[in-house]
Amino acid sequence: MVAVGFKNSLVILGGLAEVLKDSIVEFKKRRPSLEDISTQIINVGVESLPLIVITAISSGFVMTLQFGLGIEKYGGKPYVPKVMALATFLELAPVFTALMCSARVGAGMASEIGSMKVTQQIDAIRALGASPYQKIYLPRIIACLVTFPVLTVIMALLALVATSVIAYAELNLGFLFTYQKIVTTVSSWEFFCTAIKPFGFALSVALPACYFGMNVTDGTKGVGRATTMAVVTGSMLIFIIDYIMTKIYWLLYPYGG
């Protein structure tokens, strides 16, 4: 059973690598139309914005409340803004944004592409002499690469605004004090790491969605299965890539080093 699971994992990873390689080759040959890209940017970025806003504010409220009240009895209350700033920029904002987009965007892409495969729309695109990569894969991959960093920065800023509100209301920390601690804690290097992680996460969501959507079998029943696999695979890749990039971050920028 373990051997079968390992073999399937290798097959999936090989398929994702092939999608990435072919997408790069097709991108070098010809760029997808701006109309297709902008449509996907609206779908991925603009339509995900309400979900990102709600997640940012609620996670900022909950994390600040839990952490602040937890360490208050040890006299650590003044450190709450600094810890929340680092946690938000380095982990919470990039990972929460990616997971929310994996659930909404990854599932949507996989089901859409799978439905196109079942209804033979992809065969029609090929019959007309167009490449599915130009019309289907590349616009979605580019849209994720463009929108994920923006959504992550929005998530981080809103979460820290929520932190400031809870720090003032529940921990009696002034807005100016919290603002100064956050600004002096987050360096340009942390901001850079927050902005670079989403590129890896964008590929973790877009590639499984395209791969499983395009390889749908067994009719409409297969669309549901492909959607589930796209979300599960995307979420697992997000955590794996997060660990790798975090390890690289600490190797390049060890505290006290």
Short mmCIF file of all heavy atoms in Angstrom, two decimals, residues 33-77:
data_model
loop_
_atom_site.label_atom_id
_atom_site.label_comp_id
_atom_site.label_asym_id
_atom_site.label_seq_id
_atom_site.Cartn_x
_atom_site.Cartn_y
_atom_site.Cartn_z
N SER A 33 -2.94 35.66 -24.86
CA SER A 33 -3.54 36.99 -25.07
C SER A 33 -3.77 37.70 -23.73
O SER A 33 -4.05 37.07 -22.70
CB SER A 33 -4.87 36.85 -25.80
OG SER A 33 -5.85 36.29 -24.95
N LEU A 34 -3.64 39.04 -23.76
CA LEU A 34 -3.88 39.83 -22.56
C LEU A 34 -5.31 39.70 -22.08
O LEU A 34 -5.60 39.80 -20.88
CB LEU A 34 -3.54 41.30 -22.83
CG LEU A 34 -2.04 41.63 -22.98
CD1 LEU A 34 -1.86 43.09 -23.33
CD2 LEU A 34 -1.29 41.27 -21.70
N GLU A 35 -6.23 39.49 -23.00
CA GLU A 35 -7.64 39.34 -22.62
C GLU A 35 -7.84 38.10 -21.75
O GLU A 35 -8.52 38.15 -20.72
CB GLU A 35 -8.51 39.25 -23.88
CG GLU A 35 -9.99 39.16 -23.56
CD GLU A 35 -10.83 39.03 -24.83
OE1 GLU A 35 -10.24 39.07 -25.93
OE2 GLU A 35 -12.05 38.87 -24.71
N ASP A 36 -7.22 36.98 -22.18
CA ASP A 36 -7.34 35.75 -21.38
C ASP A 36 -6.68 35.92 -20.02
O ASP A 36 -7.21 35.45 -19.00
CB ASP A 36 -6.69 34.58 -22.13
CG ASP A 36 -7.48 34.17 -23.36
OD1 ASP A 36 -8.69 34.48 -23.41
OD2 ASP A 36 -6.89 33.55 -24.27
N ILE A 37 -5.51 36.59 -19.99
CA ILE A 37 -4.82 36.78 -18.71
C ILE A 37 -5.62 37.68 -17.78
O ILE A 37 -5.78 37.38 -16.58
CB ILE A 37 -3.41 37.37 -18.96
CG1 ILE A 37 -2.54 36.36 -19.72
CG2 ILE A 37 -2.74 37.73 -17.64
CD1 ILE A 37 -1.19 36.91 -20.13
N SER A 38 -6.13 38.78 -18.30
CA SER A 38 -6.87 39.71 -17.45
C SER A 38 -8.15 39.07 -16.91
O SER A 38 -8.55 39.31 -15.76
CB SER A 38 -7.20 40.99 -18.23
OG SER A 38 -7.96 40.68 -19.38
N THR A 39 -8.78 38.21 -17.73
CA THR A 39 -9.97 37.50 -17.24
C THR A 39 -9.63 36.63 -16.04
O THR A 39 -10.36 36.58 -15.03
CB THR A 39 -10.56 36.63 -18.37
OG1 THR A 39 -10.93 37.47 -19.46
CG2 THR A 39 -11.79 35.87 -17.88
N GLN A 40 -8.51 35.93 -16.14
CA GLN A 40 -8.10 35.05 -15.04
C GLN A 40 -7.62 35.85 -13.83
O GLN A 40 -7.80 35.42 -12.69
CB GLN A 40 -7.00 34.10 -15.52
CG GLN A 40 -7.46 33.09 -16.54
CD GLN A 40 -8.62 32.24 -16.03
OE1 GLN A 40 -8.66 31.84 -14.87
NE2 GLN A 40 -9.59 31.97 -16.89
N ILE A 41 -6.99 37.02 -14.06
CA ILE A 41 -6.56 37.86 -12.94
C ILE A 41 -7.78 38.32 -12.13
O ILE A 41 -7.76 38.35 -10.90
CB ILE A 41 -5.74 39.07 -13.45
CG1 ILE A 41 -4.34 38.59 -13.86
CG2 ILE A 41 -5.63 40.15 -12.38
CD1 ILE A 41 -3.48 39.68 -14.46
N ILE A 42 -8.84 38.67 -12.84
CA ILE A 42 -10.08 39.06 -12.15
C ILE A 42 -10.63 37.88 -11.35
O ILE A 42 -11.03 38.01 -10.19
CB ILE A 42 -11.12 39.57 -13.16
CG1 ILE A 42 -10.64 40.89 -13.76
CG2 ILE A 42 -12.48 39.74 -12.50
CD1 ILE A 42 -11.49 41.40 -14.90
N ASN A 43 -10.61 36.70 -11.98
CA ASN A 43 -11.14 35.50 -11.32
C ASN A 43 -10.31 35.13 -10.09
O ASN A 43 -10.85 34.84 -9.02
CB ASN A 43 -11.15 34.34 -12.32
CG ASN A 43 -11.62 33.05 -11.69
OD1 ASN A 43 -12.57 33.05 -10.91
ND2 ASN A 43 -10.95 31.96 -11.98
N VAL A 44 -8.98 35.16 -10.25
CA VAL A 44 -8.10 34.73 -9.16
C VAL A 44 -7.94 35.82 -8.11
O VAL A 44 -8.06 35.56 -6.90
CB VAL A 44 -6.71 34.33 -9.71
CG1 VAL A 44 -5.75 34.01 -8.56
CG2 VAL A 44 -6.83 33.15 -10.65
N GLY A 45 -7.66 37.04 -8.55
CA GLY A 45 -7.33 38.10 -7.61
C GLY A 45 -8.51 38.86 -7.06
O GLY A 45 -8.74 38.89 -5.84
N VAL A 46 -9.26 39.48 -7.95
CA VAL A 46 -10.35 40.36 -7.51
C VAL A 46 -11.44 39.57 -6.78
O VAL A 46 -11.91 39.97 -5.71
CB VAL A 46 -10.95 41.12 -8.72
CG1 VAL A 46 -12.12 41.98 -8.27
CG2 VAL A 46 -9.87 41.96 -9.39
N GLU A 47 -11.83 38.43 -7.35
CA GLU A 47 -12.92 37.66 -6.73
C GLU A 47 -12.49 36.94 -5.46
O GLU A 47 -13.33 36.47 -4.70
CB GLU A 47 -13.48 36.68 -7.76
CG GLU A 47 -14.15 37.40 -8.93
CD GLU A 47 -14.83 36.46 -9.91
OE1 GLU A 47 -14.85 35.24 -9.63
OE2 GLU A 47 -15.31 36.93 -10.94
N SER A 48 -11.17 36.83 -5.23
CA SER A 48 -10.70 36.23 -3.98
C SER A 48 -10.56 37.26 -2.87
O SER A 48 -10.34 36.89 -1.71
CB SER A 48 -9.33 35.56 -4.20
OG SER A 48 -9.43 34.49 -5.10
N LEU A 49 -10.65 38.54 -3.22
CA LEU A 49 -10.38 39.60 -2.26
C LEU A 49 -11.29 39.54 -1.03
O LEU A 49 -10.80 39.68 0.10
CB LEU A 49 -10.50 40.96 -2.95
CG LEU A 49 -9.70 42.11 -2.34
CD1 LEU A 49 -8.25 41.72 -2.10
CD2 LEU A 49 -9.78 43.32 -3.25
N PRO A 50 -12.62 39.36 -1.17
CA PRO A 50 -13.45 39.27 0.04
C PRO A 50 -13.01 38.15 0.99
O PRO A 50 -12.99 38.34 2.21
CB PRO A 50 -14.86 39.00 -0.52
CG PRO A 50 -14.81 39.55 -1.91
CD PRO A 50 -13.43 39.30 -2.40
N LEU A 51 -12.65 37.00 0.42
CA LEU A 51 -12.18 35.89 1.25
C LEU A 51 -10.89 36.25 1.99
O LEU A 51 -10.71 35.93 3.17
CB LEU A 51 -11.96 34.66 0.36
CG LEU A 51 -11.54 33.36 1.04
CD1 LEU A 51 -12.62 32.88 1.99
CD2 LEU A 51 -11.23 32.29 0.00
N ILE A 52 -9.99 36.94 1.29
CA ILE A 52 -8.71 37.34 1.90
C ILE A 52 -8.94 38.36 3.01
O ILE A 52 -8.32 38.28 4.09
CB ILE A 52 -7.78 37.93 0.82
CG1 ILE A 52 -7.43 36.86 -0.23
CG2 ILE A 52 -6.52 38.50 1.45
CD1 ILE A 52 -6.74 35.64 0.33
N VAL A 53 -9.83 39.31 2.80
CA VAL A 53 -10.11 40.34 3.81
C VAL A 53 -10.67 39.70 5.08
O VAL A 53 -10.20 39.99 6.19
CB VAL A 53 -11.10 41.38 3.24
CG1 VAL A 53 -11.57 42.32 4.35
CG2 VAL A 53 -10.45 42.18 2.12
N ILE A 54 -11.64 38.82 4.92
CA ILE A 54 -12.25 38.17 6.09
C ILE A 54 -11.22 37.31 6.84
O ILE A 54 -11.12 37.35 8.07
CB ILE A 54 -13.45 37.30 5.66
CG1 ILE A 54 -14.57 38.21 5.13
CG2 ILE A 54 -13.96 36.46 6.81
CD1 ILE A 54 -15.71 37.45 4.47
N THR A 55 -10.42 36.55 6.09
CA THR A 55 -9.41 35.70 6.72
C THR A 55 -8.36 36.53 7.44
O THR A 55 -7.95 36.19 8.57
CB THR A 55 -8.72 34.83 5.65
OG1 THR A 55 -9.70 34.09 4.93
CG2 THR A 55 -7.74 33.87 6.29
N ALA A 56 -7.93 37.64 6.84
CA ALA A 56 -6.90 38.48 7.45
C ALA A 56 -7.37 39.07 8.76
O ALA A 56 -6.68 39.00 9.79
CB ALA A 56 -6.50 39.59 6.48
N ILE A 57 -8.56 39.66 8.75
CA ILE A 57 -9.07 40.32 9.96
C ILE A 57 -9.35 39.30 11.07
O ILE A 57 -8.96 39.50 12.23
CB ILE A 57 -10.33 41.12 9.62
CG1 ILE A 57 -9.96 42.28 8.67
CG2 ILE A 57 -10.99 41.66 10.88
CD1 ILE A 57 -11.15 43.07 8.17
N SER A 58 -10.00 38.19 10.72
CA SER A 58 -10.32 37.20 11.75
C SER A 58 -9.08 36.54 12.32
O SER A 58 -8.97 36.35 13.54
CB SER A 58 -11.28 36.13 11.18
OG SER A 58 -10.69 35.50 10.07
N SER A 59 -8.10 36.21 11.47
CA SER A 59 -6.86 35.59 11.99
C SER A 59 -6.07 36.59 12.81
O SER A 59 -5.47 36.22 13.83
CB SER A 59 -6.02 35.05 10.83
OG SER A 59 -5.62 36.09 9.96
N GLY A 60 -6.05 37.86 12.42
CA GLY A 60 -5.35 38.88 13.22
C GLY A 60 -5.99 39.04 14.58
O GLY A 60 -5.30 39.12 15.60
N PHE A 61 -7.31 39.07 14.62
CA PHE A 61 -8.04 39.18 15.90
C PHE A 61 -7.71 37.98 16.80
O PHE A 61 -7.32 38.14 17.96
CB PHE A 61 -9.55 39.20 15.64
CG PHE A 61 -10.08 40.54 15.21
CD1 PHE A 61 -11.38 40.67 14.76
CD2 PHE A 61 -9.29 41.67 15.26
CE1 PHE A 61 -11.89 41.90 14.37
CE2 PHE A 61 -9.78 42.91 14.87
CZ PHE A 61 -11.07 43.03 14.42
N VAL A 62 -7.89 36.78 16.26
CA VAL A 62 -7.77 35.57 17.08
C VAL A 62 -6.33 35.36 17.56
O VAL A 62 -6.10 35.09 18.76
CB VAL A 62 -8.25 34.33 16.28
CG1 VAL A 62 -7.94 33.05 17.04
CG2 VAL A 62 -9.73 34.44 15.99
N MET A 63 -5.37 35.48 16.65
CA MET A 63 -3.97 35.24 17.04
C MET A 63 -3.50 36.24 18.08
O MET A 63 -2.81 35.88 19.05
CB MET A 63 -3.08 35.30 15.80
CG MET A 63 -3.30 34.18 14.81
SD MET A 63 -2.87 32.56 15.46
CE MET A 63 -1.10 32.75 15.64
N THR A 64 -3.86 37.51 17.91
CA THR A 64 -3.44 38.54 18.88
C THR A 64 -4.09 38.30 20.23
O THR A 64 -3.43 38.42 21.28
CB THR A 64 -3.82 39.94 18.36
OG1 THR A 64 -3.29 40.11 17.05
CG2 THR A 64 -3.26 41.02 19.26
N LEU A 65 -5.37 37.96 20.21
CA LEU A 65 -6.08 37.72 21.47
C LEU A 65 -5.50 36.50 22.20
O LEU A 65 -5.19 36.57 23.40
CB LEU A 65 -7.57 37.50 21.19
CG LEU A 65 -8.49 37.46 22.40
CD1 LEU A 65 -8.45 38.78 23.15
CD2 LEU A 65 -9.93 37.15 21.96
N GLN A 66 -5.32 35.41 21.48
CA GLN A 66 -4.81 34.19 22.10
C GLN A 66 -3.39 34.41 22.62
O GLN A 66 -3.07 34.08 23.78
CB GLN A 66 -4.80 33.04 21.06
CG GLN A 66 -6.15 32.51 20.68
CD GLN A 66 -6.64 31.44 21.64
OE1 GLN A 66 -6.16 31.35 22.76
NE2 GLN A 66 -7.59 30.65 21.21
N PHE A 67 -2.55 34.96 21.79
CA PHE A 67 -1.15 35.13 22.16
C PHE A 67 -0.99 36.20 23.24
O PHE A 67 -0.24 36.01 24.21
CB PHE A 67 -0.35 35.51 20.91
CG PHE A 67 1.12 35.57 21.15
CD1 PHE A 67 1.86 34.42 21.40
CD2 PHE A 67 1.79 36.78 21.13
CE1 PHE A 67 3.21 34.48 21.64
CE2 PHE A 67 3.14 36.85 21.36
CZ PHE A 67 3.85 35.70 21.62
N GLY A 68 -1.70 37.32 23.07
CA GLY A 68 -1.56 38.43 24.02
C GLY A 68 -2.01 38.05 25.42
O GLY A 68 -1.29 38.28 26.40
N LEU A 69 -3.21 37.46 25.53
CA LEU A 69 -3.71 37.08 26.85
C LEU A 69 -2.90 35.94 27.45
O LEU A 69 -2.76 35.83 28.66
CB LEU A 69 -5.19 36.68 26.75
CG LEU A 69 -6.14 37.81 26.33
CD1 LEU A 69 -7.57 37.30 26.26
CD2 LEU A 69 -6.05 38.99 27.30
N GLY A 70 -2.32 35.11 26.57
CA GLY A 70 -1.52 33.97 27.05
C GLY A 70 -0.23 34.40 27.71
O GLY A 70 0.19 33.83 28.72
N ILE A 71 0.44 35.41 27.14
CA ILE A 71 1.75 35.80 27.70
C ILE A 71 1.65 37.02 28.62
O ILE A 71 2.65 37.43 29.20
CB ILE A 71 2.77 36.09 26.58
CG1 ILE A 71 2.36 37.34 25.78
CG2 ILE A 71 2.92 34.91 25.66
CD1 ILE A 71 3.45 37.79 24.83
N GLU A 72 0.44 37.56 28.77
CA GLU A 72 0.28 38.75 29.63
C GLU A 72 0.69 38.45 31.07
O GLU A 72 1.33 39.26 31.73
CB GLU A 72 -1.18 39.22 29.58
CG GLU A 72 -1.40 40.53 30.34
CD GLU A 72 -2.84 41.00 30.20
OE1 GLU A 72 -3.70 40.15 29.88
OE2 GLU A 72 -3.09 42.20 30.41
N LYS A 73 0.36 37.24 31.55
CA LYS A 73 0.67 36.91 32.95
C LYS A 73 2.17 36.74 33.18
O LYS A 73 2.63 36.70 34.32
CB LYS A 73 -0.06 35.63 33.36
CG LYS A 73 0.16 34.45 32.45
CD LYS A 73 -0.79 33.31 32.83
CE LYS A 73 -0.70 32.19 31.81
NZ LYS A 73 -1.71 31.15 32.06
N TYR A 74 2.94 36.61 32.09
CA TYR A 74 4.39 36.50 32.22
C TYR A 74 5.09 37.83 31.94
O TYR A 74 6.32 37.89 31.83
CB TYR A 74 4.93 35.44 31.26
CG TYR A 74 4.32 34.08 31.46
CD1 TYR A 74 3.44 33.54 30.52
CD2 TYR A 74 4.59 33.32 32.60
CE1 TYR A 74 2.86 32.29 30.70
CE2 TYR A 74 4.02 32.08 32.80
CZ TYR A 74 3.16 31.57 31.84
OH TYR A 74 2.59 30.34 32.04
N GLY A 75 4.31 38.89 31.79
CA GLY A 75 4.88 40.21 31.55
C GLY A 75 5.34 40.42 30.12
O GLY A 75 6.13 41.34 29.85
N GLY A 76 4.86 39.59 29.20
CA GLY A 76 5.32 39.70 27.81
C GLY A 76 4.42 40.51 26.91
O GLY A 76 4.60 40.50 25.68
N LYS A 77 3.46 41.22 27.50
CA LYS A 77 2.48 41.96 26.69
C LYS A 77 3.12 42.95 25.71
O LYS A 77 2.68 43.04 24.57
CB LYS A 77 1.50 42.67 27.63
CG LYS A 77 0.27 43.18 26.96
CD LYS A 77 -0.76 43.63 27.98
CE LYS A 77 -0.29 44.84 28.77
NZ LYS A 77 -1.35 45.37 29.65
#
